[in-house]
Amino acid sequence: MSDENPLQPPWLNAPPVDPYPYEESHDLRTGPKLHPALDGLLPYVGVWRGRGRGGYPTIEDFDYGQEIRISHDGRPFLCYESRAWLLDEQSRPIRPAGREMGWWRPVLAGDRATGEWEALMTTPTGVMELHLGKRTGTQLEFATDAVVRTPTAKEVTAGHRLFGIVEGALLYAQEMAAVGHGLTPHLSARLIRVGG
Ligand code: HEM
């Protein structure tokens, strides 16, 4: 065992680094060139805003607003960021709701996209879903291969998500198996492009 303090390594005296030197973008007109393996999901890259309706057998139905940003940095994966908030009857915000961060990864054969995708999606409520999916046209269907939860998270055991681009809008429907129920709808929404 070294008696060196791991928080005081000898290289700490090296010069400081410049800010992160690479670009990422949700706008295909700027930033790095989209990796060709992402071409199939090119219409998803952007910032989206819209409304959705949610529910579950155990809770009251609710309306929500949502923003989703799908971006890339030139490498063969997409970054997925979502924030949602609950809406009252006048579409005024009630409170923040689901947030999610994820990575969508095309499965490659050599350099070429196969149409199959992998996704890792994480929530601040302690749930991490690992999805396997397939693209058909601009439609993307994901189903969980595994769900990992922190000890205090709600019991989520499976998920299924369908994404599509319909007349320029992003639509999705999300089902989950949770708190003793099998796969049952939780969310569906329609978002329009507001950036990118
Ligand atoms: C647009 C994003 C989302 C919104 C607006 C949303 C909204 C809600 C609302 C309003 C509830 C009722 C409890 C509460 O008021 O907090 C709820 C419960 C729940 N949501 Fe979501 N949710 C979202 C995303 C997700 C995601 C991504 C997951 C999967 C990990 C998830 C899993 C659950 C679970 C397990 C419950 C608890 C059900 C129960 O205990 O009966 N939600 N959600």
Side-chain angles (χ1 to χ4, degrees):
M1 281 270 288
S2 148
D3 54 3
E4 186 183 284
N5 179 344
L7 298 181
Q8 293 288 335
W11 49 261
L12 271 189
N13 295 329
V17 292
D18 291 333
Y20 187 73
Y22 302 103
E23 276 186 295
E24 65 171 78
S25 179
H26 55 258
D27 185 339
L28 296 171
R29 292 163 299 193
T30 65
K33 187 172 151 356
L34 192 73
H35 191 286
L38 304 181
D39 281 352
L41 293 193
L42 181 148
Y44 284 87
V45 176
V47 178
W48 304 86
R49 185 182 307 135
R51 65 161 58 236
R53 186 124 242 267
Y56 207 65
T58 49
I59 59 177
E60 297 273 309
D61 288 356
F62 54 89
D63 292 303
Y64 63 94
Q66 185 176 22
E67 287 182 353
I68 297 178
R69 176 174 187 253
I70 298 177
S71 57
H72 76 105
D73 69 3
R75 289 182 286 174
F77 59 82
L78 293 171
C79 174
Y80 174 98
E81 298 165 90
S82 156
R83 294 183 299 187
W85 62 100
L86 298 188
L87 296 174
D88 70 11
E89 282 95 24
Q90 278 80 46
S91 296
R92 291 177 305 217
I94 301 173
R95 62 174 171 87
R99 284 189 73 168
E100 205 168 19
M101 297 280 310
W103 306 101
W104 292 5
R105 299 158 36 82
V107 176
L108 303 176
D111 252 2
R112 306 206 17 217
T114 58
E116 289 180 24
W117 286 73
E118 305 170 345
L120 300 94
M121 307 288 269
T122 58
T123 71
T125 54
V127 180
M128 194 184 97
E129 297 182 354
L130 196 157
H131 285 267
L132 302 181
K134 196 168 172 32
R135 178 182 68 81
T136 311
T138 56
Q139 187 168 304
L140 190 59
E141 185 169 12
F142 278 128
T144 46
D145 184 46
V147 181
V148 185
R149 309 182 302 269
T150 63
T152 59
K154 289 269 184 171
E155 190 219 11
V156 178
T157 53
H160 177 268
R161 305 187 191 201
L162 192 60
F163 291 86
I165 303 285
V166 181
E167 291 166 2
L170 191 163
L171 282 88
Y172 72 83
Q174 177 175 337
E175 296 175 317
M176 66 178 176
V179 293
H181 293 263
L183 274 180
T184 309
H186 183 40
L187 307 166
S188 65
R190 179 178 186 275
L191 300 92
I192 56 165
R193 184 182 290 280
V194 293

